[in-house]
Amino acid sequence: MSQSSPPEQHNVLDLVGRALAQIRDLRNTETVVMSDEIRSAASAQCIEISRGKIHFELVGPEDGQVVVLLSGATLPMWVWDHTVQPLANAGFRVLRFNYFGRGYSDYPHEPNTAAFFNQQIDEVVDRLKLRRPFHIVGLAFGGLIGVLYAEAAPKSVASLLLIAPDGMGTHLSPALSLTLTPGIGDYLFDLVGSDLLLQRMPTYSPNGVLVQELSNRLKESFPIKGYKRCVLSSIREMPIHTAEGSYRAVAKQGTPTLVVWGRHDGTTPISIMDVIKPTMPEADYRILETGHLPQYEHPNMFLEQAVPFLKSVADRKR
Protein backbone atom coordinates (compact mmCIF):
# COMPACT_ATOMS: atom_id res chain seq x y z
CA MET A 1 0.00 0.00 0.00
CA SER A 2 1.44 3.37 -0.98
CA GLN A 3 1.97 5.96 1.69
CA SER A 4 0.43 9.40 1.30
CA SER A 5 2.57 12.49 1.57
CA PRO A 6 2.57 14.34 4.89
CA PRO A 7 -0.07 17.10 5.18
CA GLU A 8 2.72 19.62 5.65
CA GLN A 9 4.15 18.74 2.20
CA HIS A 10 0.77 19.20 0.56
CA ASN A 11 0.42 22.59 2.26
CA VAL A 12 3.84 23.73 1.03
CA LEU A 13 3.19 22.58 -2.55
CA ASP A 14 -0.18 24.30 -2.50
CA LEU A 15 1.38 27.53 -1.30
CA VAL A 16 4.11 27.37 -3.95
CA GLY A 17 1.56 26.66 -6.67
CA ARG A 18 -0.59 29.58 -5.62
CA ALA A 19 2.42 31.89 -5.41
CA LEU A 20 3.55 30.94 -8.92
CA ALA A 21 0.02 31.47 -10.25
CA GLN A 22 -0.08 34.93 -8.67
CA ILE A 23 3.28 35.86 -10.20
CA ARG A 24 2.06 34.67 -13.59
CA ASP A 25 -1.11 36.74 -13.26
CA LEU A 26 0.92 39.82 -12.39
CA ARG A 27 3.09 39.35 -15.49
CA ASN A 28 0.25 38.37 -17.79
CA THR A 29 0.51 40.45 -20.97
CA GLU A 30 -2.06 38.53 -23.01
CA THR A 31 -5.12 40.72 -22.55
CA VAL A 32 -6.51 40.81 -26.10
CA VAL A 33 -8.75 38.10 -27.55
CA MET A 34 -8.63 38.09 -31.36
CA SER A 35 -12.05 39.00 -32.76
CA ASP A 36 -13.86 40.10 -35.89
CA GLU A 37 -14.05 43.62 -34.44
CA ILE A 38 -10.26 43.82 -34.21
CA ARG A 39 -9.89 42.44 -37.73
CA SER A 40 -12.41 44.91 -39.10
CA ALA A 41 -10.65 47.85 -37.45
CA ALA A 42 -7.39 46.71 -39.05
CA SER A 43 -9.02 46.02 -42.45
CA ALA A 44 -7.62 42.48 -42.21
CA GLN A 45 -8.91 40.23 -44.98
CA CYS A 46 -9.71 36.72 -43.73
CA ILE A 47 -11.07 33.43 -44.99
CA GLU A 48 -12.64 30.60 -43.03
CA ILE A 49 -10.99 27.18 -43.15
CA SER A 50 -11.63 24.07 -41.08
CA ARG A 51 -9.96 25.23 -37.85
CA GLY A 52 -10.90 28.90 -37.99
CA LYS A 53 -10.14 32.19 -39.70
CA ILE A 54 -6.91 32.91 -41.54
CA HIS A 55 -5.64 36.41 -42.30
CA PHE A 56 -4.19 36.65 -45.83
CA GLU A 57 -3.23 38.91 -48.71
CA LEU A 58 -3.30 37.91 -52.37
CA VAL A 59 -1.89 40.21 -55.06
CA GLY A 60 -0.60 40.01 -58.61
CA PRO A 61 -2.03 38.99 -61.98
CA GLU A 62 -4.60 36.19 -61.85
CA ASP A 63 -2.81 34.31 -64.62
CA GLY A 64 0.58 34.52 -62.90
CA GLN A 65 2.25 31.48 -61.37
CA VAL A 66 1.50 31.33 -57.66
CA VAL A 67 4.14 32.14 -55.05
CA VAL A 68 3.31 31.26 -51.43
CA LEU A 69 5.29 33.19 -48.80
CA LEU A 70 5.80 31.39 -45.47
CA SER A 71 6.86 33.44 -42.46
CA GLY A 72 8.95 32.34 -39.49
CA ALA A 73 7.79 31.07 -36.11
CA THR A 74 7.48 34.40 -34.31
CA LEU A 75 7.07 37.31 -36.73
CA PRO A 76 3.76 37.61 -38.60
CA MET A 77 3.35 38.07 -42.32
CA TRP A 78 4.48 41.71 -42.24
CA VAL A 79 8.03 40.34 -42.71
CA TRP A 80 7.10 40.20 -46.42
CA ASP A 81 6.00 43.84 -46.64
CA HIS A 82 8.87 44.77 -48.97
CA THR A 83 8.61 41.60 -51.07
CA VAL A 84 4.97 41.14 -52.04
CA GLN A 85 4.45 43.94 -54.54
CA PRO A 86 7.80 43.54 -56.36
CA LEU A 87 7.04 39.84 -56.91
CA ALA A 88 3.57 40.76 -58.15
CA ASN A 89 5.11 43.35 -60.48
CA ALA A 90 7.35 40.58 -61.84
CA GLY A 91 4.24 38.71 -62.93
CA PHE A 92 3.57 36.35 -60.02
CA ARG A 93 0.34 35.75 -58.12
CA VAL A 94 1.61 36.25 -54.56
CA LEU A 95 -0.01 34.85 -51.42
CA ARG A 96 1.03 35.54 -47.87
CA PHE A 97 -0.94 34.55 -44.80
CA ASN A 98 -0.63 34.38 -41.04
CA TYR A 99 -0.53 30.89 -39.63
CA PHE A 100 -2.97 30.11 -36.86
CA GLY A 101 -1.57 31.69 -33.72
CA ARG A 102 -0.11 34.74 -35.48
CA GLY A 103 -1.37 38.17 -36.44
CA TYR A 104 -5.07 38.49 -37.18
CA SER A 105 -5.66 34.76 -37.68
CA ASP A 106 -7.40 32.62 -35.07
CA TYR A 107 -5.58 31.01 -32.13
CA PRO A 108 -6.88 27.42 -31.82
CA HIS A 109 -5.61 25.02 -29.16
CA GLU A 110 -3.85 22.63 -31.55
CA PRO A 111 -0.38 21.08 -31.55
CA ASN A 112 1.64 23.03 -34.12
CA THR A 113 2.86 19.95 -36.01
CA ALA A 114 3.92 19.57 -39.63
CA ALA A 115 0.48 18.20 -40.47
CA PHE A 116 -1.09 21.26 -38.81
CA PHE A 117 0.87 23.64 -41.07
CA ASN A 118 0.48 21.47 -44.18
CA GLN A 119 -3.27 21.51 -43.77
CA GLN A 120 -3.29 25.29 -43.53
CA ILE A 121 -1.36 25.63 -46.78
CA ASP A 122 -3.63 23.18 -48.59
CA GLU A 123 -6.86 24.69 -47.32
CA VAL A 124 -5.86 28.32 -47.95
CA VAL A 125 -4.67 27.52 -51.49
CA ASP A 126 -7.83 25.53 -52.26
CA ARG A 127 -10.17 28.06 -50.63
CA LEU A 128 -8.68 30.81 -52.81
CA LYS A 129 -8.82 28.55 -55.88
CA LEU A 130 -5.11 28.96 -56.63
CA ARG A 131 -3.39 26.78 -59.22
CA ARG A 132 -0.89 24.07 -58.41
CA PRO A 133 1.98 23.53 -58.50
CA PHE A 134 3.04 26.72 -56.73
CA HIS A 135 6.36 28.15 -55.64
CA ILE A 136 7.19 28.31 -51.92
CA VAL A 137 9.39 31.02 -50.44
CA GLY A 138 10.03 30.17 -46.79
CA LEU A 139 11.84 32.18 -44.14
CA ALA A 140 13.65 30.31 -41.32
CA PHE A 141 10.88 28.28 -39.62
CA GLY A 142 8.81 28.90 -42.76
CA GLY A 143 11.61 27.31 -44.77
CA LEU A 144 11.28 24.19 -42.65
CA ILE A 145 7.52 24.23 -43.18
CA GLY A 146 8.15 24.51 -46.92
CA VAL A 147 10.54 21.53 -46.94
CA LEU A 148 8.12 19.36 -44.95
CA TYR A 149 5.23 20.36 -47.20
CA ALA A 150 7.24 19.60 -50.34
CA GLU A 151 8.14 16.21 -48.91
CA ALA A 152 4.46 15.43 -48.27
CA ALA A 153 3.04 16.94 -51.47
CA PRO A 154 5.80 17.00 -54.12
CA LYS A 155 3.40 17.48 -57.04
CA SER A 156 2.09 20.68 -55.48
CA VAL A 157 5.49 22.41 -55.25
CA ALA A 158 7.08 23.97 -58.32
CA SER A 159 10.15 25.22 -56.45
CA LEU A 160 11.54 26.06 -53.02
CA LEU A 161 13.31 29.27 -52.12
CA LEU A 162 14.64 28.86 -48.59
CA ILE A 163 15.91 31.78 -46.50
CA ALA A 164 18.15 30.56 -43.64
CA PRO A 165 15.85 27.56 -43.12
CA ASP A 166 15.39 25.76 -39.80
CA GLY A 167 15.63 22.01 -39.38
CA MET A 168 19.35 21.41 -39.13
CA GLY A 169 20.32 22.84 -35.76
CA THR A 170 18.43 26.05 -35.01
CA HIS A 171 20.13 28.00 -32.22
CA LEU A 172 18.17 28.30 -28.96
CA SER A 173 19.44 30.02 -25.84
CA PRO A 174 19.71 27.87 -22.67
CA ALA A 175 16.66 29.63 -21.24
CA LEU A 176 14.62 29.10 -24.40
CA SER A 177 15.75 25.46 -24.54
CA LEU A 178 14.45 24.97 -21.00
CA THR A 179 10.97 25.96 -22.12
CA LEU A 180 10.85 22.85 -24.31
CA THR A 181 10.39 20.74 -21.18
CA PRO A 182 6.68 19.99 -20.71
CA GLY A 183 5.18 21.36 -17.52
CA ILE A 184 7.82 23.72 -16.18
CA GLY A 185 8.53 24.90 -19.73
CA ASP A 186 4.92 25.93 -20.27
CA TYR A 187 4.96 27.93 -17.07
CA LEU A 188 8.31 29.57 -17.85
CA PHE A 189 7.33 30.56 -21.38
CA ASP A 190 4.04 31.93 -20.15
CA LEU A 191 5.95 33.94 -17.57
CA VAL A 192 9.01 35.18 -19.50
CA GLY A 193 8.44 34.10 -23.12
CA SER A 194 8.05 37.68 -24.32
CA ASP A 195 11.40 38.61 -22.77
CA LEU A 196 13.11 35.57 -24.31
CA LEU A 197 11.81 36.40 -27.78
CA LEU A 198 12.93 40.02 -27.47
CA GLN A 199 16.39 38.90 -26.34
CA ARG A 200 16.81 37.12 -29.69
CA MET A 201 16.22 40.26 -31.73
CA PRO A 202 19.81 41.60 -31.65
CA THR A 203 20.91 38.37 -33.35
CA TYR A 204 18.76 39.20 -36.37
CA SER A 205 21.06 41.95 -37.62
CA PRO A 206 24.05 44.11 -36.65
CA ASN A 207 21.87 47.08 -37.64
CA GLY A 208 20.65 48.50 -34.33
CA VAL A 209 17.95 50.65 -35.92
CA LEU A 210 16.49 47.62 -37.69
CA VAL A 211 16.62 45.55 -34.49
CA GLN A 212 14.66 48.22 -32.65
CA GLU A 213 12.08 48.36 -35.43
CA LEU A 214 11.67 44.57 -35.39
CA SER A 215 11.45 44.53 -31.59
CA ASN A 216 8.72 47.17 -31.59
CA ARG A 217 6.72 45.27 -34.20
CA LEU A 218 7.21 41.97 -32.38
CA LYS A 219 5.75 43.52 -29.23
CA GLU A 220 2.48 44.03 -31.11
CA SER A 221 1.88 40.27 -30.84
CA PHE A 222 2.44 39.97 -27.09
CA PRO A 223 -0.99 41.21 -25.92
CA ILE A 224 -2.84 38.62 -28.04
CA LYS A 225 -4.11 35.68 -26.03
CA GLY A 226 -2.60 32.45 -27.33
CA TYR A 227 0.39 33.91 -29.15
CA LYS A 228 3.06 32.57 -26.78
CA ARG A 229 1.29 29.22 -26.51
CA CYS A 230 1.34 28.80 -30.30
CA VAL A 231 4.98 29.85 -30.66
CA LEU A 232 6.05 27.41 -27.94
CA SER A 233 4.04 24.60 -29.54
CA SER A 234 5.73 25.30 -32.89
CA ILE A 235 9.20 25.07 -31.36
CA ARG A 236 8.29 21.85 -29.55
CA GLU A 237 6.37 20.02 -32.24
CA MET A 238 8.40 20.78 -35.36
CA PRO A 239 11.75 19.09 -36.16
CA ILE A 240 13.84 22.24 -35.90
CA HIS A 241 16.97 20.15 -35.24
CA THR A 242 16.14 16.85 -36.91
CA ALA A 243 14.84 17.42 -40.45
CA GLU A 244 17.83 15.99 -42.35
CA GLY A 245 15.74 13.14 -43.75
CA SER A 246 13.16 15.56 -45.12
CA TYR A 247 15.81 17.68 -46.82
CA ARG A 248 17.24 14.57 -48.46
CA ALA A 249 13.79 13.41 -49.54
CA VAL A 250 12.99 16.73 -51.21
CA ALA A 251 16.36 16.73 -52.96
CA LYS A 252 15.69 13.20 -54.22
CA GLN A 253 12.34 14.37 -55.61
CA GLY A 254 14.22 16.88 -57.76
CA THR A 255 12.41 19.98 -56.50
CA PRO A 256 14.28 23.05 -57.84
CA THR A 257 15.72 24.77 -54.78
CA LEU A 258 17.53 28.02 -54.04
CA VAL A 259 18.96 28.54 -50.54
CA VAL A 260 19.72 32.12 -49.52
CA TRP A 261 21.62 33.10 -46.37
CA GLY A 262 22.65 36.37 -44.76
CA ARG A 263 26.32 36.42 -43.92
CA HIS A 264 25.61 38.40 -40.74
CA ASP A 265 22.75 36.21 -39.53
CA GLY A 266 23.26 35.57 -35.82
CA THR A 267 19.94 33.78 -35.37
CA THR A 268 20.52 30.94 -37.82
CA PRO A 269 24.29 31.13 -38.42
CA ILE A 270 25.57 30.74 -41.95
CA SER A 271 27.63 27.72 -40.85
CA ILE A 272 24.38 25.71 -40.95
CA MET A 273 24.31 26.19 -44.71
CA ASP A 274 27.32 23.86 -44.91
CA VAL A 275 25.30 21.25 -43.00
CA ILE A 276 22.45 21.51 -45.50
CA LYS A 277 24.62 21.30 -48.62
CA PRO A 278 25.32 17.53 -48.42
CA THR A 279 21.59 16.85 -48.06
CA MET A 280 20.66 18.99 -51.09
CA PRO A 281 23.75 18.90 -53.33
CA GLU A 282 21.88 20.04 -56.46
CA ALA A 283 20.42 23.16 -54.85
CA ASP A 284 21.77 26.62 -55.62
CA TYR A 285 23.32 28.48 -52.65
CA ARG A 286 23.70 32.26 -52.39
CA ILE A 287 25.24 34.37 -49.61
CA LEU A 288 23.99 37.93 -49.14
CA GLU A 289 25.52 40.74 -47.09
CA THR A 290 22.52 40.88 -44.76
CA GLY A 291 21.27 39.56 -41.45
CA HIS A 292 18.50 37.07 -40.72
CA LEU A 293 15.81 38.83 -42.80
CA PRO A 294 17.32 39.71 -46.19
CA GLN A 295 13.87 40.17 -47.77
CA TYR A 296 13.06 42.83 -45.14
CA GLU A 297 16.46 44.38 -44.44
CA HIS A 298 17.71 44.59 -48.04
CA PRO A 299 14.75 43.65 -50.27
CA ASN A 300 16.40 44.66 -53.54
CA MET A 301 19.40 42.47 -52.80
CA PHE A 302 17.08 39.58 -52.05
CA LEU A 303 14.86 40.15 -55.08
CA GLU A 304 17.89 40.18 -57.39
CA GLN A 305 18.29 36.52 -56.45
CA ALA A 306 14.66 35.52 -56.01
CA VAL A 307 13.03 36.86 -59.19
CA PRO A 308 15.43 35.28 -61.73
CA PHE A 309 15.25 31.95 -59.91
CA LEU A 310 11.44 31.92 -59.78
CA LYS A 311 11.17 33.06 -63.40
CA SER A 312 13.59 30.40 -64.62
CA VAL A 313 11.54 27.68 -62.93
CA ALA A 314 8.29 29.24 -64.12
CA ASP A 315 9.53 29.25 -67.71
CA ARG A 316 10.39 25.55 -67.47
CA LYS A 317 6.94 24.77 -66.00
CA ARG A 318 4.97 26.45 -68.84
Side-chain angles (χ1 to χ4, degrees):
M1 180 180 297
S2 62
Q3 295 182 346
S4 60
S5 301
E8 298 83 2
Q9 183 175 339
H10 285 298
N11 290 338
V12 171
L13 292 174
D14 183 56
L15 286 172
V16 171
R18 278 188 277 174
L20 291 175
Q22 289 174 358
I23 293 172
R24 181 171 57 189
D25 289 342
L26 287 173
R27 287 186 58 91
N28 180 30
T29 61
E30 295 188 346
T31 57
V32 175
V33 177
M34 186 52 59
S35 66
D36 289 340
E37 290 74 20
I38 293 174
R39 296 182 181 107
S40 178
S43 300
Q45 187 176 15
C46 294
I47 53 172
E48 186 91 30
I49 61 175
S50 62
R51 285 180 164 89
K53 291 184 177 178
I54 288 283
H55 174 214
F56 78 98
E57 182 183 26
L58 180 63
V59 299
E62 292 188 5
D63 62 347
Q65 288 201 19
V66 176
V67 174
V68 178
L69 305 177
L70 300 178
S71 310
T74 57
L75 302 180
M77 70 183 200
W78 53 256
V79 296
W80 303 108
D81 279 356
H82 309 316
T83 313
V84 172
Q85 196 56 53
L87 287 176
N89 293 343
F92 295 99
R93 186 74 163 155
V94 186
L95 167 68
R96 61 172 167 170
F97 68 95
N98 278 320
Y99 315 127
F100 285 128
R102 281 80 172 172
Y104 295 105
S105 293
D106 278 340
Y107 290 70
H109 285 265
E110 299 272 356
N112 282 214
T113 61
F116 178 70
F117 289 108
N118 287 353
Q119 185 177 18
Q120 289 175 65
I121 295 171
D122 278 332
E123 291 192 11
V124 171
V125 167
D126 290 345
R127 180 74 171 77
L128 294 173
K129 296 181 171 59
L130 300 178
R131 293 191 303 275
R132 300 169 187 256
F134 46 82
H135 307 269
I136 288 179
V137 180
L139 167 66
F141 185 81
L144 174 59
I145 293 174
V147 169
L148 297 177
Y149 181 84
E151 179 185 23
K155 293 183 179 179
S156 289
V157 180
S159 73
L160 284 172
L161 198 168
L162 308 175
I163 307 170
D166 289 349
M168 301 291 276
T170 304
H171 173 70
L172 298 177
S173 68
L176 195 53
S177 296
L178 184 59
T179 65
L180 301 183
T181 305
I184 185 64
D186 296 83
Y187 172 78
L188 287 174
F189 203 73
D190 190 30
L191 192 65
V192 298
S194 300
D195 297 330
L196 294 177
L197 294 178
L198 284 173
Q199 288 171 10
R200 297 180 77 233
M201 288 296 102
T203 69
Y204 275 45
S205 172
N207 182 336
V209 174
L210 176 66
V211 167
Q212 189 59 55
E213 177 186 341
L214 295 172
S215 298
N216 291 340
R217 298 199 72 174
L218 174 62
K219 290 177 185 177
E220 296 169 1
S221 295
F222 294 163
I224 305 173
K225 188 173 182 61
Y227 169 74
K228 286 185 289 186
R229 166 176 51 79
C230 293
V231 170
L232 180 57
S233 180
S234 296
I235 298 171
R236 282 180 173 174
E237 300 292 342
M238 291 286 279
I240 59 175
H241 298 291
T242 57
E244 178 180 344
S246 296
Y247 277 84
R248 291 188 184 280
V250 172
K252 189 174 181 180
Q253 291 165 185
T255 305
T257 302
L258 171 63
V259 181
V260 174
W261 225 288
R263 189 185 303 277
H264 310 292
D265 186 344
T267 303
T268 312
I270 194 171
S271 58
I272 295 178
M273 186 172 73
D274 292 330
V275 181
I276 293 176
K277 282 182 177 180
T279 69
M280 302 185 110
E282 301 302 319
D284 194 358
Y285 295 86
R286 309 283 177 84
I287 298 174
L288 304 181
E289 297 300 324
T290 72
H292 187 57
L293 307 177
Q295 85 296 339
Y296 192 90
E297 182 178 4
H298 292 292
N300 290 337
M301 193 181 298
F302 169 73
L303 290 162
E304 286 174 358
Q305 307 299 323
V307 173
F309 168 73
L310 293 170
K311 282 190 170 183
S312 68
V313 178
D315 289 342
R316 296 201 301 268
K317 297 291 182 181
R318 292 187 191 282

